[in-house]
Amino acid sequence: MRKVALSTLLDLLHQRATENPDQEAYTFLQDDVTVSGSLSYQDLLQQSQAIAAQLQQLGSPGQRVLLLYPPGLDFISGFCGCLAAGMIAVPAYPPRPNQSLNRLQSILRDAEATFALTTRALWQKKAHWQDQDSNFAQLKWLDTSSIPNIYQKDWQPPKINQDTLALLQYTSGSTGNPKGVMVSHDNLLVNCRDLAQGWNQDRESKIVSWLPTFHDLGLVYGILTPLLVGCACYLMSPISFLLKPLNWLKIISRYQATHSAAPNFGYDLCVRKFKPEQGKELDLKNWKMALNGAQPVRAETIERFSQTFAPYGFKRQAFSPGYGLAEATLKVAAVRQPDAPMFLEIESAALSENRAVIAENRYLKSQTLVGCGDSEIDTKIQIINPESLTPCKPMEIGEIWVSGTTVAQGYWNNPEATAETFQAYLRDTGEGPFIRTGDLGFLYKGQLFVTGRLKDLIIIEGRNHYPQDIELTVENNHPALRSGCSAAFSVLVKGEERLVVVQEVERSYGCNLELATVKQKIREAVAVEHDLRLYQIALIRHGTISKTSSGKIQRQKCRQQFLNNQLNLLTSSRKSSEQELQDANIRTA
């Protein structure tokens, strides 16, 4: 049988359904035992074509389609339905009942979506969203779970190719200017091949994923790479993982999975929740690739997890630290399977000066960095001085720039941001274009080591948060809080990134403010709007927050002032930030 050239994901789905129509492609589990549903390749093709036929009757190719699904198999059918209609998928996530629609509203306005695909249960709630924003009333809503496969007969193959946009992957928070990364069919296929090649995935592999499918890691790694490889994929809800993280390991054990992934916090959570008596249910000997990505990779996490689960067959060598971003579709670099992760002990003092000096003097302070490997394809990584825009010297820390076929097409309807991020050129040679990632790092023995963030992006529990979004939530919470005078950032507490907010108070309120009440209101607002728990809130005096000469908040300087107890706090209790950090360590131990 002649294989069709794979230039699109739609070609790939047709090939899978033709070669192995009855093979179970995706299985969704409620817990470590209960299967709530499965999809064969034939099922997926029929459902996606039926959904596409409905979209084609109501719209035109290239229109944007909002995907509003809870965790489950419906998302996969909806996503493939968009592709089969020649439309552009916009993965999102329906907010909880007590959560505002700010983020969803921003995405909807920016993408100018025409359709919303969802399930019966959420379709019945659309009136609530329409009451809050008339833009939701303009959408054409489809309950894809109620579309029978018989509509497949009305489907017409779309005119698409490798350069056709497949999705907009939104990276912004809820209230700032959202940015939808334009990802083509070719971007996705190339990145999936990079993943599969580096991690030795084939049809005999078994993948387990609890990662959210509206994020790039959950979508590209957890859904599309198994489709490319043609292997079985077992899915569970992120909420199920957070409530019972050991269920993830039990599913890996039950199905003898070979590949799975999590952000750094996920491995830590498993260690914290594990009790030795639960070990009798674990058999991790077949787990040969454990991706650690989506947030900074910690050496201590790798060691703790490896030691804790070694008695149950887990091998430290299975860990694959990686680095990526939506602007590069997903993966930029990762440690190959079966290579072991590389640890590098670096002098702390030199690191703060943007130099990577291998620690040889045991009396000097040092910290361990973890290598994030490299690419299997044409991805090129350069370390660039962000001011001179010229290459850094070996072991000099600079901004990570990336080029190659995995690089996405830019930001949707945002040429200014596209030019700033996607069209960087070296000043001395004119080489480019590159993505400016905003992250800092260096290269050593061919591997990428990530040291920090040039941008102010906050990453907590594997999720990205833009500080300006959190700051606006805080400032709008109480009239005593000065607009444009707050700084949100993260600090490292016991190996985890924790959220801190520094906020100026209007002079007119002075000592008449009930600080505890205001702080509680801030905590509640940030929890509801961003699903984040605040570690510390520093309310400071009028006119004392650090700004540039042009009036921009200096978040990193505020962070340093917080750590050094140099903030002009508006409080009668002047407990130092250092002491608060120590107290928090005790509370979270």
Side-chain angles (χ1 to χ4, degrees):
M1 183 181 298
R2 187 177 68 87
K3 292 184 179 180
V4 178
L6 296 180
S7 61
T8 72
L9 289 166
L10 202 54
D11 293 337
L12 176 61
L13 178 56
H14 274 273
Q15 179 175 306
R16 291 282 166 259
T18 300
E19 294 178 347
N20 302 98
D22 299 323
Q23 179 181 326
E24 282 195 0
Y26 303 98
T27 302
F28 192 84
L29 296 105
Q30 289 182 341
D31 49 43
D32 62 311
V33 175
T34 309
V35 174
S36 63
S38 63
L39 273 177
S40 69
Y41 291 123
Q42 186 66 32
D43 292 335
L44 181 56
L45 180 65
Q46 291 175 345
Q47 290 181 18
S48 62
Q49 289 180 347
I51 293 169
Q54 292 290 285
L55 289 171
Q56 289 173 332
Q57 289 181 13
L58 298 170
S60 306
Q63 290 182 319
R64 277 72 63 205
V65 182
L66 201 63
L67 303 182
L68 291 173
Y69 291 100
L73 300 176
D74 289 305
F75 172 90
I76 305 174
S77 299
F79 179 82
C80 291
C82 291
L83 304 182
M87 297 183 183
I88 303 172
V90 184
Y93 192 76
R96 297 188 303 272
N98 66 336
Q99 197 171 24
S100 77
L101 296 176
N102 286 345
R103 173 174 170 78
L104 198 52
Q105 288 169 319
S106 298
I107 293 174
L108 176 59
R109 287 193 296 268
D110 187 72
E112 299 177 317
T114 303
F115 296 94
L117 303 186
T118 190
T119 60
R120 166 64 62 177
L122 290 174
W123 183 84
Q124 293 173 336
K125 296 179 181 180
K126 68 182 187 297
H128 171 69
W129 298 337
Q130 292 169 345
D131 289 341
Q132 296 187 53
D133 190 328
S134 60
N135 287 318
F136 287 99
Q138 305 302 316
L139 287 169
K140 299 172 184 176
W141 292 79
L142 290 178
D143 163 24
T144 57
S145 60
S146 299
I147 298 176
N149 287 351
I150 192 173
Y151 286 123
Q152 178 191 21
K153 63 181 175 56
D154 300 322
W155 173 73
Q156 296 296 319
K159 296 179 179 179
I160 61 176
N161 56 43
Q162 63 181 17
D163 298 321
T164 302
L165 293 186
L167 82 145
L168 300 182
Q169 182 68 58
Y170 274 85
T171 64
S172 177
S174 59
T175 56
N177 294 323
K179 293 192 289 293
V181 178
M182 298 187 292
V183 186
S184 70
H185 282 260
D186 191 52
N187 289 145
L188 291 166
L189 286 170
V190 165
N191 207 275
C192 288
R193 291 187 187 110
D194 191 3
L195 295 172
Q197 185 175 334
W199 295 330
N200 290 330
Q201 292 173 321
D202 56 31
R203 295 196 179 190
E204 301 305 314
S205 300
K206 296 178 181 179
I207 295 177
V208 172
S209 177
W210 56 264
L211 303 165
T213 52
F214 58 90
H215 284 160
D216 50 3
L217 183 57
L219 174 60
V220 180
Y221 174 79
I223 303 297
L224 299 183
T225 301
L227 183 63
L228 176 77
V229 174
C231 69
C233 180
Y234 302 91
L235 303 167
M236 63 183 290
S237 163
I239 299 300
S240 296
F241 168 77
L242 293 173
L243 292 175
K244 293 184 177 180
L246 269 296
N247 278 353
W248 175 42
L249 303 185
K250 291 178 183 178
I251 292 172
I252 292 173
S253 299
R254 175 177 294 275
Y255 293 98
Q256 288 296 283
T258 56
H259 295 72
S260 196
N264 196 82
F265 88 90
Y267 296 101
D268 271 335
L269 191 60
C270 286
V271 172
R272 291 202 302 269
K273 296 293 185 179
F274 179 71
K275 295 179 176 58
E277 57 268 25
Q278 297 170 311
K280 63 180 182 298
E281 302 179 64
L282 297 183
D283 178 7
L284 305 176
K285 65 177 181 297
N286 279 359
W287 191 2
K288 65 180 183 180
M289 198 290 296
L291 171 63
N292 186 330
Q295 67 176 154
V297 180
R298 306 292 178 193
E300 55 269 27
T301 298
I302 292 176
E303 293 297 348
R304 282 197 298 263
F305 188 92
S306 299
Q307 292 174 7
T308 301
F309 296 103
Y312 314 103
F314 183 81
K315 303 175 184 64
R316 179 175 173 273
Q317 188 169 321
F319 263 114
S320 173
Y323 167 78
L325 65 163
E327 287 81 354
T329 305
L330 175 63
K331 176 189 170 185
V332 170
V335 174
R336 295 183 179 91
Q337 193 278 325
D339 294 349
M342 180 188 294
F343 295 158
L344 204 58
E345 199 76 13
I346 299 295
E347 290 184 5
S348 298
L351 199 60
S352 65
E353 299 171 355
N354 288 332
R355 294 182 299 116
V357 177
I358 298 176
E360 296 178 350
N361 187 336
R362 62 188 180 91
Y363 296 105
L364 294 178
K365 288 185 178 179
S366 64
Q367 62 187 84
T368 304
L369 301 181
V370 182
C372 290
D374 54 12
S375 172
E376 306 302 318
I377 52 174
D378 67 343
T379 302
K380 185 175 183 179
I381 302 170
Q382 292 235 39
I383 307 300
I384 306 300
N385 185 306
E387 296 179 359
S388 69
L389 305 185
T390 57
C392 291
K393 299 175 182 177
M395 300 299 283
E396 182 181 0
I397 294 169
E399 185 179 10
I400 301 167
W401 287 23
V402 176
S403 66
T405 52
T406 189
V407 171
Q409 310 305 300
Y411 295 121
W412 175 261
N413 202 26
N414 197 335
E416 183 177 343
T418 295
E420 181 181 352
T421 300
F422 285 85
Q423 297 169 11
Y425 292 83
L426 297 183
R427 184 168 292 165
D428 54 352
T429 65
E431 183 183 356
F434 290 90
I435 295 175
R436 295 192 65 166
T437 69
D439 293 313
L440 298 171
F442 63 94
L443 295 170
Y444 177 75
K445 291 187 176 181
Q447 287 209 31
L448 174 66
F449 286 78
V450 183
T451 60
R453 291 186 289 277
L454 184 64
K455 295 178 181 178
D456 290 318
L457 189 68
I458 297 169
I459 303 177
I460 294 179
E461 294 188 348
R463 295 178 295 146
N464 296 348
H465 304 272
Y466 283 81
Q468 56 267 32
D469 298 334
I470 299 169
E471 291 157 4
L472 191 57
T473 297
V474 172
E475 294 165 5
N476 290 340
N477 194 252
H478 194 283
L481 306 179
R482 289 193 71 200
S483 178
C485 295
S486 63
F489 49 83
S490 63
V491 296
L492 193 63
V493 181
K494 297 197 72 176
E496 293 184 359
E497 295 289 337
R498 307 288 294 278
L499 179 63
V500 174
V501 168
V502 175
Q503 171 67 56
E504 271 191 22
V505 174
E506 294 282 2
R507 183 179 288 111
S508 58
Y509 281 82
C511 298
N512 297 323
L513 196 63
E514 180 57 49
L515 299 182
T517 301
V518 174
K519 288 184 177 182
Q520 183 58 33
K521 280 179 158 297
I522 292 173
R523 290 183 188 279
E524 292 172 355
V526 171
V528 169
E529 290 288 339
H530 306 282
D531 198 21
L532 283 171
R533 184 163 62 94
L534 267 161
Y535 169 62
Q536 290 292 337
I537 302 168
L539 299 179
I540 61 175
R541 299 185 186 279
H542 184 281
T544 62
I545 198 164
S546 294
K547 294 184 177 182
T548 66
S549 57
S550 60
K552 296 180 179 178
I553 298 293
Q554 296 176 302
R555 296 188 181 93
Q556 294 307 311
K557 187 173 181 180
C558 290
R559 180 181 183 276
Q560 202 58 47
Q561 289 172 333
F562 170 80
L563 293 172
N564 295 340
N565 192 31
Q566 294 172 334
L567 294 170
N568 196 339
L569 297 173
L570 186 71
T571 176
S572 57
S573 174
R574 292 302 300 264
K575 179 186 287 188
S576 71
S577 299
E578 181 179 358
Q579 183 61 49
E580 289 179 334
L581 285 170
Q582 293 174 354
D583 291 350
N585 285 347
I586 294 173
R587 291 195 299 273
T588 59

